[in-house]
Each structure stands twice: as structure tokens, then as C-alpha cells.
Short mmCIF file of all heavy atoms in Angstrom, two decimals:
data_model
loop_
_atom_site.label_atom_id
_atom_site.label_comp_id
_atom_site.label_asym_id
_atom_site.label_seq_id
_atom_site.Cartn_x
_atom_site.Cartn_y
_atom_site.Cartn_z
N LYS A 1 -6.99 -16.89 -13.63
CA LYS A 1 -5.61 -16.81 -14.13
C LYS A 1 -5.01 -15.44 -13.85
O LYS A 1 -3.85 -15.31 -13.47
CB LYS A 1 -5.57 -17.09 -15.63
CG LYS A 1 -5.68 -18.57 -15.96
CD LYS A 1 -5.57 -18.79 -17.45
CE LYS A 1 -5.66 -20.29 -17.79
NZ LYS A 1 -5.63 -20.52 -19.23
N ARG A 2 -5.87 -14.38 -14.03
CA ARG A 2 -5.38 -13.02 -13.78
C ARG A 2 -5.02 -12.86 -12.31
O ARG A 2 -4.02 -12.26 -11.95
CB ARG A 2 -6.42 -11.99 -14.21
CG ARG A 2 -6.45 -11.75 -15.71
CD ARG A 2 -7.12 -10.42 -16.02
NE ARG A 2 -8.50 -10.38 -15.56
CZ ARG A 2 -9.55 -10.76 -16.30
NH1 ARG A 2 -9.35 -11.25 -17.52
NH2 ARG A 2 -10.77 -10.66 -15.81
N ASN A 3 -5.86 -13.38 -11.43
CA ASN A 3 -5.60 -13.29 -10.00
C ASN A 3 -4.33 -14.04 -9.61
O ASN A 3 -3.53 -13.59 -8.79
CB ASN A 3 -6.79 -13.85 -9.19
CG ASN A 3 -8.02 -12.96 -9.30
OD1 ASN A 3 -7.89 -11.78 -9.62
ND2 ASN A 3 -9.19 -13.52 -9.04
N THR A 4 -4.16 -15.23 -10.22
CA THR A 4 -2.98 -16.04 -9.92
C THR A 4 -1.71 -15.33 -10.36
O THR A 4 -0.71 -15.30 -9.65
CB THR A 4 -3.08 -17.41 -10.63
OG1 THR A 4 -4.29 -18.02 -10.25
CG2 THR A 4 -1.91 -18.31 -10.22
N SER A 5 -1.76 -14.71 -11.57
CA SER A 5 -0.59 -14.01 -12.09
C SER A 5 -0.27 -12.80 -11.23
O SER A 5 0.89 -12.46 -11.02
CB SER A 5 -0.80 -13.59 -13.54
OG SER A 5 -1.85 -12.66 -13.62
N LYS A 6 -1.33 -12.16 -10.67
CA LYS A 6 -1.09 -11.00 -9.81
C LYS A 6 -0.40 -11.43 -8.53
O LYS A 6 0.49 -10.76 -8.01
CB LYS A 6 -2.42 -10.30 -9.50
CG LYS A 6 -2.22 -8.99 -8.72
CD LYS A 6 -3.54 -8.29 -8.54
CE LYS A 6 -3.32 -6.98 -7.76
NZ LYS A 6 -4.56 -6.25 -7.56
N LYS A 7 -0.79 -12.60 -8.00
CA LYS A 7 -0.19 -13.10 -6.77
C LYS A 7 1.28 -13.42 -6.98
O LYS A 7 2.10 -13.28 -6.09
CB LYS A 7 -0.92 -14.35 -6.28
CG LYS A 7 -2.21 -14.04 -5.54
CD LYS A 7 -2.83 -15.32 -5.03
CE LYS A 7 -4.16 -15.03 -4.34
NZ LYS A 7 -4.80 -16.25 -3.87
N GLN A 8 1.61 -13.88 -8.21
CA GLN A 8 2.97 -14.30 -8.48
C GLN A 8 3.89 -13.14 -8.83
O GLN A 8 5.08 -13.32 -8.99
CB GLN A 8 2.98 -15.32 -9.63
CG GLN A 8 2.38 -16.66 -9.22
CD GLN A 8 2.29 -17.63 -10.37
OE1 GLN A 8 2.45 -17.24 -11.52
NE2 GLN A 8 2.03 -18.89 -10.07
N LYS A 9 3.31 -11.91 -8.96
CA LYS A 9 4.13 -10.75 -9.24
C LYS A 9 5.06 -10.48 -8.05
O LYS A 9 4.67 -10.63 -6.89
CB LYS A 9 3.25 -9.51 -9.48
CG LYS A 9 2.62 -9.47 -10.86
CD LYS A 9 1.85 -8.18 -11.04
CE LYS A 9 1.17 -8.11 -12.39
NZ LYS A 9 0.37 -6.89 -12.54
N LYS A 10 6.25 -10.05 -8.37
CA LYS A 10 7.22 -9.78 -7.31
C LYS A 10 6.88 -8.50 -6.58
O LYS A 10 6.58 -7.48 -7.20
CB LYS A 10 8.62 -9.66 -7.93
CG LYS A 10 9.72 -9.65 -6.91
CD LYS A 10 11.05 -9.66 -7.58
CE LYS A 10 12.16 -9.64 -6.52
NZ LYS A 10 13.48 -9.63 -7.12
N GLN A 11 6.90 -8.55 -5.27
CA GLN A 11 6.60 -7.38 -4.47
C GLN A 11 7.80 -6.44 -4.39
O GLN A 11 8.94 -6.88 -4.47
CB GLN A 11 6.16 -7.79 -3.07
CG GLN A 11 4.80 -8.49 -3.04
CD GLN A 11 4.34 -8.75 -1.62
OE1 GLN A 11 5.13 -9.01 -0.74
NE2 GLN A 11 3.04 -8.66 -1.39
N LYS A 12 7.50 -5.14 -4.28
CA LYS A 12 8.53 -4.12 -4.13
C LYS A 12 8.24 -3.33 -2.85
O LYS A 12 7.16 -3.41 -2.29
CB LYS A 12 8.52 -3.17 -5.34
CG LYS A 12 8.86 -3.84 -6.65
CD LYS A 12 8.88 -2.84 -7.79
CE LYS A 12 7.47 -2.34 -8.11
NZ LYS A 12 7.43 -1.46 -9.30
N VAL A 13 9.23 -2.56 -2.45
CA VAL A 13 9.07 -1.72 -1.27
C VAL A 13 8.66 -0.32 -1.72
O VAL A 13 9.30 0.28 -2.59
CB VAL A 13 10.38 -1.66 -0.45
CG1 VAL A 13 10.21 -0.74 0.75
CG2 VAL A 13 10.77 -3.05 0.01
N PHE A 14 7.57 0.21 -1.14
CA PHE A 14 7.07 1.54 -1.48
C PHE A 14 7.21 2.47 -0.27
O PHE A 14 6.94 2.06 0.87
CB PHE A 14 5.59 1.48 -1.88
CG PHE A 14 5.35 0.84 -3.24
CD1 PHE A 14 5.26 -0.53 -3.37
CD2 PHE A 14 5.22 1.63 -4.37
CE1 PHE A 14 5.04 -1.12 -4.60
CE2 PHE A 14 5.01 1.05 -5.61
CZ PHE A 14 4.92 -0.32 -5.72
N GLN A 15 7.64 3.70 -0.54
CA GLN A 15 7.68 4.73 0.48
C GLN A 15 6.40 5.56 0.38
O GLN A 15 6.02 5.97 -0.71
CB GLN A 15 8.91 5.65 0.28
CG GLN A 15 10.25 4.94 0.34
CD GLN A 15 10.60 4.45 1.73
OE1 GLN A 15 10.10 4.97 2.72
NE2 GLN A 15 11.46 3.44 1.79
N TRP A 16 5.74 5.77 1.52
CA TRP A 16 4.47 6.50 1.48
C TRP A 16 4.43 7.62 2.52
O TRP A 16 5.14 7.57 3.53
CB TRP A 16 3.28 5.55 1.72
CG TRP A 16 3.35 4.78 3.01
CD1 TRP A 16 3.85 3.53 3.20
CD2 TRP A 16 2.92 5.22 4.31
NE1 TRP A 16 3.77 3.16 4.51
CE2 TRP A 16 3.19 4.18 5.22
CE3 TRP A 16 2.34 6.39 4.78
CZ2 TRP A 16 2.90 4.28 6.58
CZ3 TRP A 16 2.04 6.49 6.14
CH2 TRP A 16 2.31 5.45 7.01
N LYS A 17 3.62 8.63 2.23
CA LYS A 17 3.33 9.71 3.17
C LYS A 17 1.83 9.91 3.21
O LYS A 17 1.17 9.78 2.17
CB LYS A 17 4.03 11.01 2.75
CG LYS A 17 5.55 10.96 2.82
CD LYS A 17 6.16 12.28 2.39
CE LYS A 17 7.69 12.22 2.42
NZ LYS A 17 8.31 13.49 1.97
N GLY A 18 1.31 10.22 4.38
CA GLY A 18 -0.13 10.39 4.50
C GLY A 18 -0.52 11.12 5.77
O GLY A 18 0.34 11.64 6.50
N VAL A 19 -1.83 11.15 6.03
CA VAL A 19 -2.38 11.83 7.21
C VAL A 19 -3.28 10.84 7.95
O VAL A 19 -4.13 10.19 7.33
CB VAL A 19 -3.19 13.09 6.81
CG1 VAL A 19 -3.75 13.79 8.05
CG2 VAL A 19 -2.32 14.05 6.01
N ASN A 20 -3.09 10.71 9.28
CA ASN A 20 -3.92 9.77 10.04
C ASN A 20 -5.22 10.42 10.50
O ASN A 20 -5.51 11.58 10.15
CB ASN A 20 -3.13 9.20 11.23
CG ASN A 20 -2.70 10.30 12.20
OD1 ASN A 20 -3.20 11.42 12.17
ND2 ASN A 20 -1.76 9.96 13.07
N LYS A 21 -5.98 9.69 11.29
CA LYS A 21 -7.31 10.19 11.71
C LYS A 21 -7.22 11.44 12.57
O LYS A 21 -8.17 12.24 12.61
CB LYS A 21 -8.03 9.08 12.49
CG LYS A 21 -8.44 7.90 11.61
CD LYS A 21 -9.12 6.82 12.45
CE LYS A 21 -9.52 5.64 11.58
NZ LYS A 21 -10.15 4.55 12.36
N GLN A 22 -6.10 11.60 13.27
CA GLN A 22 -5.93 12.78 14.12
C GLN A 22 -5.41 13.99 13.35
O GLN A 22 -5.16 15.05 13.93
CB GLN A 22 -4.95 12.47 15.27
CG GLN A 22 -5.51 11.55 16.34
CD GLN A 22 -5.56 10.11 15.91
OE1 GLN A 22 -4.70 9.65 15.14
NE2 GLN A 22 -6.57 9.37 16.36
N GLY A 23 -5.21 13.83 12.05
CA GLY A 23 -4.71 14.93 11.22
C GLY A 23 -3.19 15.07 11.25
O GLY A 23 -2.66 16.06 10.75
N GLN A 24 -2.51 14.10 11.84
CA GLN A 24 -1.05 14.16 11.92
C GLN A 24 -0.42 13.56 10.66
O GLN A 24 -0.92 12.58 10.12
CB GLN A 24 -0.55 13.40 13.15
CG GLN A 24 -1.05 13.97 14.46
CD GLN A 24 -0.73 13.06 15.63
OE1 GLN A 24 -0.64 11.84 15.46
NE2 GLN A 24 -0.57 13.64 16.81
N LYS A 25 0.68 14.18 10.23
CA LYS A 25 1.40 13.66 9.07
C LYS A 25 2.22 12.45 9.48
O LYS A 25 2.94 12.48 10.48
CB LYS A 25 2.32 14.73 8.48
CG LYS A 25 1.57 15.88 7.82
CD LYS A 25 2.53 16.89 7.20
CE LYS A 25 1.77 18.03 6.53
NZ LYS A 25 2.69 19.02 5.94
N VAL A 26 2.10 11.37 8.73
CA VAL A 26 2.85 10.14 9.00
C VAL A 26 3.50 9.66 7.71
O VAL A 26 3.05 10.02 6.61
CB VAL A 26 1.92 9.04 9.58
CG1 VAL A 26 1.49 9.38 10.99
CG2 VAL A 26 0.71 8.80 8.70
N LYS A 27 4.53 8.86 7.85
CA LYS A 27 5.21 8.30 6.68
C LYS A 27 5.81 6.95 7.05
O LYS A 27 5.94 6.60 8.23
CB LYS A 27 6.29 9.24 6.16
CG LYS A 27 7.42 9.51 7.14
CD LYS A 27 8.44 10.45 6.54
CE LYS A 27 9.58 10.70 7.53
NZ LYS A 27 10.62 11.60 6.96
N GLY A 28 6.16 6.19 6.02
CA GLY A 28 6.74 4.87 6.27
C GLY A 28 6.99 4.14 4.98
O GLY A 28 6.91 4.71 3.88
N SER A 29 7.30 2.86 5.09
CA SER A 29 7.53 2.03 3.91
C SER A 29 6.67 0.78 4.03
O SER A 29 6.36 0.33 5.14
CB SER A 29 9.00 1.66 3.79
OG SER A 29 9.42 0.92 4.91
N MET A 30 6.30 0.21 2.88
CA MET A 30 5.45 -0.98 2.88
C MET A 30 5.74 -1.80 1.64
O MET A 30 5.80 -1.26 0.54
CB MET A 30 3.97 -0.57 2.90
CG MET A 30 3.00 -1.73 2.95
SD MET A 30 1.27 -1.20 2.93
CE MET A 30 1.16 -0.33 4.48
N PRO A 31 5.91 -3.11 1.80
CA PRO A 31 6.08 -3.97 0.63
C PRO A 31 4.73 -4.28 -0.01
O PRO A 31 3.76 -4.57 0.70
CB PRO A 31 6.72 -5.23 1.21
CG PRO A 31 6.29 -5.26 2.63
CD PRO A 31 6.07 -3.84 3.06
N ALA A 32 4.66 -4.21 -1.32
CA ALA A 32 3.40 -4.49 -2.03
C ALA A 32 3.71 -4.73 -3.50
O ALA A 32 4.83 -4.46 -3.98
CB ALA A 32 2.42 -3.34 -1.88
N VAL A 33 2.69 -5.22 -4.23
CA VAL A 33 2.85 -5.46 -5.67
C VAL A 33 2.85 -4.14 -6.43
O VAL A 33 3.64 -3.92 -7.34
CB VAL A 33 1.74 -6.40 -6.18
CG1 VAL A 33 1.79 -6.52 -7.69
CG2 VAL A 33 1.87 -7.78 -5.54
N ASP A 34 1.93 -3.24 -6.06
CA ASP A 34 1.85 -1.94 -6.74
C ASP A 34 1.38 -0.89 -5.74
O ASP A 34 1.05 -1.18 -4.58
CB ASP A 34 0.92 -2.01 -7.95
CG ASP A 34 -0.44 -2.61 -7.60
OD1 ASP A 34 -0.91 -2.40 -6.46
OD2 ASP A 34 -1.04 -3.28 -8.46
N ALA A 35 1.30 0.38 -6.22
CA ALA A 35 0.93 1.51 -5.36
C ALA A 35 -0.52 1.40 -4.89
O ALA A 35 -0.85 1.82 -3.77
CB ALA A 35 1.16 2.82 -6.10
N ASP A 36 -1.40 0.86 -5.73
CA ASP A 36 -2.82 0.73 -5.35
C ASP A 36 -2.98 -0.17 -4.13
O ASP A 36 -3.83 0.10 -3.26
CB ASP A 36 -3.63 0.16 -6.53
CG ASP A 36 -3.71 1.14 -7.69
OD1 ASP A 36 -3.59 2.36 -7.43
OD2 ASP A 36 -3.87 0.70 -8.84
N GLU A 37 -2.19 -1.22 -4.06
CA GLU A 37 -2.27 -2.12 -2.90
C GLU A 37 -1.84 -1.40 -1.63
O GLU A 37 -2.42 -1.60 -0.56
CB GLU A 37 -1.37 -3.34 -3.14
CG GLU A 37 -1.50 -4.42 -2.07
CD GLU A 37 -0.63 -5.63 -2.33
OE1 GLU A 37 -0.25 -5.85 -3.49
OE2 GLU A 37 -0.33 -6.35 -1.36
N VAL A 38 -0.81 -0.54 -1.74
CA VAL A 38 -0.35 0.23 -0.59
C VAL A 38 -1.44 1.19 -0.13
O VAL A 38 -1.74 1.29 1.08
CB VAL A 38 0.94 1.02 -0.94
CG1 VAL A 38 1.37 1.89 0.23
CG2 VAL A 38 2.07 0.07 -1.31
N LYS A 39 -2.06 1.90 -1.09
CA LYS A 39 -3.12 2.85 -0.73
C LYS A 39 -4.30 2.15 -0.06
O LYS A 39 -4.86 2.65 0.92
CB LYS A 39 -3.59 3.59 -1.99
CG LYS A 39 -2.56 4.55 -2.57
CD LYS A 39 -3.03 5.17 -3.88
CE LYS A 39 -1.97 6.09 -4.46
NZ LYS A 39 -2.36 6.65 -5.77
N SER A 40 -4.66 1.00 -0.58
CA SER A 40 -5.77 0.24 0.00
C SER A 40 -5.45 -0.19 1.43
O SER A 40 -6.29 -0.06 2.34
CB SER A 40 -6.06 -0.99 -0.87
OG SER A 40 -7.04 -1.80 -0.29
N ALA A 41 -4.21 -0.67 1.66
CA ALA A 41 -3.80 -1.11 3.00
C ALA A 41 -3.77 0.08 3.96
O ALA A 41 -4.17 -0.06 5.14
CB ALA A 41 -2.44 -1.78 2.93
N LEU A 42 -3.33 1.24 3.49
CA LEU A 42 -3.26 2.42 4.36
C LEU A 42 -4.66 2.91 4.74
O LEU A 42 -4.90 3.30 5.90
CB LEU A 42 -2.49 3.56 3.66
CG LEU A 42 -0.98 3.33 3.49
CD1 LEU A 42 -0.37 4.44 2.64
CD2 LEU A 42 -0.28 3.28 4.85
N ARG A 43 -5.60 2.88 3.79
CA ARG A 43 -6.98 3.32 4.10
C ARG A 43 -7.62 2.41 5.14
O ARG A 43 -8.39 2.87 5.99
CB ARG A 43 -7.80 3.34 2.81
CG ARG A 43 -7.40 4.47 1.86
CD ARG A 43 -8.42 4.67 0.75
NE ARG A 43 -7.96 5.67 -0.20
CZ ARG A 43 -7.39 5.40 -1.36
NH1 ARG A 43 -7.19 4.12 -1.73
NH2 ARG A 43 -7.00 6.37 -2.17
N LYS A 44 -7.30 1.10 5.07
CA LYS A 44 -7.84 0.17 6.08
C LYS A 44 -7.31 0.51 7.47
O LYS A 44 -7.97 0.24 8.47
CB LYS A 44 -7.45 -1.27 5.71
CG LYS A 44 -8.23 -1.82 4.53
CD LYS A 44 -7.75 -3.24 4.20
CE LYS A 44 -8.48 -3.78 2.96
NZ LYS A 44 -7.97 -5.13 2.58
N GLN A 45 -6.10 1.10 7.55
CA GLN A 45 -5.52 1.50 8.82
C GLN A 45 -5.94 2.89 9.26
O GLN A 45 -5.49 3.40 10.29
CB GLN A 45 -3.99 1.44 8.73
CG GLN A 45 -3.44 0.06 8.44
CD GLN A 45 -1.93 0.07 8.20
OE1 GLN A 45 -1.23 0.99 8.62
NE2 GLN A 45 -1.44 -0.94 7.50
N GLY A 46 -6.81 3.54 8.48
CA GLY A 46 -7.28 4.88 8.83
C GLY A 46 -6.33 5.98 8.42
O GLY A 46 -6.38 7.08 8.98
N ILE A 47 -5.46 5.70 7.46
CA ILE A 47 -4.49 6.70 6.98
C ILE A 47 -4.87 7.10 5.57
O ILE A 47 -5.10 6.24 4.70
CB ILE A 47 -3.06 6.13 7.01
CG1 ILE A 47 -2.65 5.78 8.43
CG2 ILE A 47 -2.06 7.12 6.40
CD1 ILE A 47 -1.32 5.05 8.54
N THR A 48 -4.95 8.42 5.34
CA THR A 48 -5.24 8.92 4.00
C THR A 48 -3.92 9.12 3.26
O THR A 48 -3.11 10.00 3.64
CB THR A 48 -5.98 10.27 4.07
OG1 THR A 48 -7.17 10.11 4.85
CG2 THR A 48 -6.34 10.76 2.68
#
């Protein structure tokens, strides 16, 4: 039920800044339910 309710939460657009594998500063926007989801997606892409 908790997982289902999380899926049904409305997504928002988050602005993020980070550093990629080459040490370059990058930024952008990403739709997600919360900030933790954005951070998790960025780490999978090799962005801190």
C-alpha cells in the first residue's frame, strides 16, 4: 500500500546541480516525486 501510494504521488520538477565523473560542474532539471529520487537517478548517471 505504501509503494502504491508513493507511485500515485504527483511528480514535481526539481532543479539540480552536481559534478560529473570528469569533475565538471553540471546542472539541469528533472521531474520526480521527491529530492531523494532525483539524487538516486543522478548517481546512476555518474553525477554527484
Side-chain angles (χ1 to χ4, degrees):
K1 282 182 179 177
R2 281 200 299 270
N3 291 338
T4 306
S5 64
K6 186 175 180 179
K7 280 183 183 178
Q8 290 175 347
K9 282 184 182 177
K10 191 174 180 181
Q11 291 186 326
K12 296 181 291 186
V13 178
F14 288 85
Q15 300 290 337
W16 57 265
K17 293 180 182 179
V19 180
N20 61 16
K21 291 178 180 178
Q22 288 76 33
Q24 298 171 330
K25 291 182 179 179
V26 289
K27 63 180 181 179
S29 62
M30 182 182 295
V33 173
D34 51 33
D36 292 335
E37 187 179 338
V38 176
K39 291 175 182 177
S40 175
L42 290 173
R43 289 193 185 99
K44 287 178 183 177
Q45 298 174 22
I47 298 172
T48 304

